[in-house]
Amino acid sequence: KIAPLQPANCGFIADWSAIFSQKFAGQPLKTITASFQDHTVHGEIMITEKGIEGGPVYALSSELREDINNNGSAVLLLDLKPDLSLEALTERLKKPRAGKSLSNYLKGAVNLSEVAIGLLMERPDRKTLGEYPPQKLAALIKAYPLQLSAPFAIDRAISTAGGVKFESLDKNLMLLEKPGVFVAGEMLDWEAPTGGYLLQAC
């Protein structure tokens, strides 16, 4: 019995605008935290032409993929300023804009990166972001909801989920229906935590 193969430790598709994709593909979103359900991972995310990749994304990929399988999409929450509390960020955003554009204001007031500002400008309500009260804008920066529609294809994934089910094996990983034939590693319906563990697992 075989469970269908699926991408694991993989990136995900996000519906970027053409402008965002052209400007930021290949650039990192540094020093963020990514959260999904009860798990939070710190690190750096790479923006790609079609979506996102990187350590925090790979660490959450199995849960994200299953949520997409069950619901058609998944929402990853990004804290774009994890070094500042919501309260501290709110205080900084109380500084008057003094005629600055929202982008320049966010760079100066909270040292938000261009990529992070670009993410904010991807929102449907981007034209009214400048009218947000400080606490609402701070809350968005601390929990930016990024909708993901699908994992990247298997040929781009680091590893796979799915494979020969354990119920088809004995305790020594021998196939019950083919005595003398053994399977291990990614042939099994087993998902490695990250690509680096695959050899040890085999």
Side-chain angles (χ1 to χ4, degrees):
K1 294 181 179 179
I2 298 174
L5 290 177
Q6 300 185 83
N9 295 298
C10 56
F12 287 82
I13 294 171
D15 187 21
W16 302 138
S17 67
I19 293 173
F20 181 86
S21 180
Q22 289 164 11
K23 188 170 183 180
F24 296 113
Q27 293 194 36
L29 191 58
K30 295 184 176 182
T31 320
I32 55 91
T33 63
S35 301
F36 184 72
Q37 295 175 350
D38 297 329
H39 298 119
T40 297
V41 185
H42 303 265
E44 182 176 296
I45 285 176
M46 183 65 69
I47 302 295
T48 74
E49 184 182 359
K50 301 291 186 183
I52 56 171
E53 291 182 322
V57 181
Y58 304 150
L60 299 169
S61 62
S62 61
E63 290 121 319
L64 289 168
R65 185 195 65 233
E66 291 310 305
D67 198 47
I68 290 170
N69 286 345
N70 294 329
N71 302 306
S73 66
V75 176
L76 181 66
L77 291 179
L78 301 178
D79 184 344
L80 303 174
K81 289 298 291 185
D83 53 331
L84 287 176
S85 68
L86 178 63
E87 293 75 20
L89 191 58
T90 301
E91 280 303 309
R92 292 196 184 190
L93 291 171
K94 287 179 180 177
K95 295 177 183 176
R97 279 177 61 179
K100 292 180 181 177
S101 69
L102 181 60
S103 294
N104 287 334
Y105 174 71
L106 290 172
K107 285 178 196 172
V110 297
N111 195 29
L112 209 58
S113 70
E114 283 197 19
V115 183
I117 293 169
L119 267 184
L120 294 176
M121 298 306 169
E122 283 291 276
R123 289 180 56 81
D125 60 352
R126 58 187 170 275
K127 291 183 179 178
T128 60
L129 281 179
E131 300 165 16
Y132 273 25
Q135 188 161 12
K136 185 176 179 181
L137 186 55
L140 177 61
I141 293 170
K142 293 293 290 178
Y144 180 89
L146 179 60
Q147 187 162 4
L148 305 173
S149 58
F152 286 164
I154 281 182
D155 61 2
R156 187 162 173 169
I158 294 172
S159 56
T160 59
V164 178
K165 292 188 175 183
F166 282 90
E167 66 198 67
S168 297
L169 310 171
D170 71 7
K171 65 179 182 178
N172 297 312
L173 305 183
M174 183 181 76
L175 293 172
L176 296 174
E177 294 185 12
K178 289 187 180 294
V181 178
F182 298 81
V183 293
E186 285 219 81
M187 297 176 74
L188 299 170
D189 182 17
W190 178 82
E191 191 166 349
T194 73
Y197 292 102
L198 295 177
L199 187 56
Q200 287 118 298
C202 291

